[in-house]
Amino acid sequence: DAGITQSPRHKVTETGTPVTLRCHQTENHRYMYWYRQDPGHGLRLIHYSYGVKDTDKGEVSDGYSVSRSKTEDFLLTLESATSSQTSVYFCAISDPTRGHGEKLFFGSGTQLSVL
Amino acid sequence: AQTVTQSQPEMSVQEAETVTLSCTYDTSESDYYLFWYKQPPSRQMILVIRQEAYKQQNATENRFSVNFQKAAKSFSLKISDSQLGDAAMYFCAYRSPYGGATNKLIFGTGTLLAVQP
């Protein structure tokens, strides 16, 4: 299995508070992604990164920001959490140059509840 | 924009039987990639099978195979000899060839498969 660690695994927070989720990889893969999973929606891309300090928006980026200061770490921040951001958040990595083809490797997810 | 549709929210199959999960997609692109991912209760996302659109031959991986109908934009997953461990949520996903090296996937809403002993 790819070395991807998401932290925390579970978090409960209150509306209006800032939240940061962390994704750490030991594979030295160039590309990293944040998805959210919601019933009836599948997984939707929030933000992605194609290198250190290089990030771009996905289809549901409103209310989220990301940062990548090191290859191994990709942070997702909710500046002011809302109940609509209650979800399971997945980090994923890929690096086609290493011969992985089009495979995405996923972390184990973070369950975030905003009360 | 591309879309992926899984019209079966839930399916059930008897152990050792065969089940087919449906997936359709909408795209104007001619070359792309399609995937089936499995998500067991552990929440881990596991790649089951992958199909490249320019390949006419249907992909197979042990008990898992696909029926890829490009003209109909259909990509169904067949699970043969179903096992209890196959019980999971299954997601169909699409990848455009125009994302460069970025592997951005568009997912369907999922099909929850139950396997009855």
Side-chain angles (χ1 to χ4, degrees):
Chain A
D1 292 343
I4 309 171
T5 303
Q6 289 187 234
S7 59
R9 186 160 173 82
H10 303 274
K11 185 171 182 65
V12 179
T13 191
E14 294 184 349
T15 299
T17 60
V19 177
T20 295
L21 308 183
R22 181 183 185 234
C23 178
H24 178 78
Q25 60 145 328
T26 57
E27 306 296 321
N28 202 32
H29 281 16
R30 180 180 173 188
Y31 298 91
M32 300 185 75
Y33 312 80
W34 278 108
Y35 284 87
R36 61 177 288 175
Q37 180 180 1
D38 305 287
H41 291 277
L43 281 80
R44 293 177 291 173
L45 183 64
I46 304 171
H47 281 280
Y48 64 98
S49 170
Y50 46 95
V52 173
K53 297 187 180 179
D54 292 323
T55 64
D56 206 348
K57 297 178 179 180
E59 62 177 308
V60 289
S61 60
D62 287 349
Y64 302 94
S65 62
V66 290
S67 65
R68 192 167 178 200
S69 59
K70 298 183 292 184
T71 298
E72 58 265 36
D73 290 326
F74 192 32
L75 304 180
L76 177 70
T77 298
L78 291 65
E79 300 291 345
S80 178
T82 67
S83 58
S84 65
Q85 294 175 312
T86 292
S87 186
V88 178
Y89 291 85
F90 284 95
C91 175
I93 64 175
S94 71
D95 198 339
T97 62
R98 298 198 171 198
H100 294 284
E102 306 304 323
K103 182 182 292 186
L104 270 182
F105 297 96
F106 285 86
S108 55
T110 294
Q111 172 68 62
L112 176 67
S113 298
V114 183
L115 306 180
Chain B
Q2 295 83 20
T3 58
V4 177
T5 301
Q6 293 179 250
S7 59
Q8 306 154 315
E10 297 182 7
M11 294 279 287
S12 182
V13 63
Q14 293 291 129
E15 198 174 4
E17 296 295 310
T18 296
V19 65
T20 299
L21 309 184
S22 300
C23 174
T24 59
Y25 56 94
D26 186 26
T27 184
S28 59
E29 298 166 340
S30 59
D31 192 17
Y32 44 85
Y33 302 87
L34 296 165
F35 306 84
W36 279 99
Y37 277 87
K38 170 186 177 181
Q39 186 182 46
S42 67
R43 217 163 60 190
Q44 188 65 40
M45 292 288 288
I46 303 165
L47 178 65
V48 174
I49 202 164
R50 170 177 56 201
Q51 176 80 41
E52 297 169 53
Y54 66 86
K55 291 185 177 179
Q56 295 186 348
Q57 185 174 4
N58 289 327
T60 62
E61 289 287 343
N62 301 313
R63 298 183 294 107
F64 298 87
S65 62
V66 298
N67 184 4
F68 173 49
Q69 301 290 328
K70 191 173 184 179
K73 297 179 182 176
S74 172
F75 183 60
S76 60
L77 175 70
K78 186 172 80 171
I79 306 174
S80 304
D81 186 25
S82 296
Q83 301 176 0
L84 296 177
D86 295 333
M89 181 72 85
Y90 287 82
F91 291 100
C92 178
Y94 172 100
R95 183 200 186 275
S96 167
Y98 300 112
T102 305
N103 193 359
K104 295 182 288 183
L105 297 184
I106 299 170
F107 286 86
T109 53
T111 296
L112 183 62
L113 178 66
V115 180
Q116 307 300 328

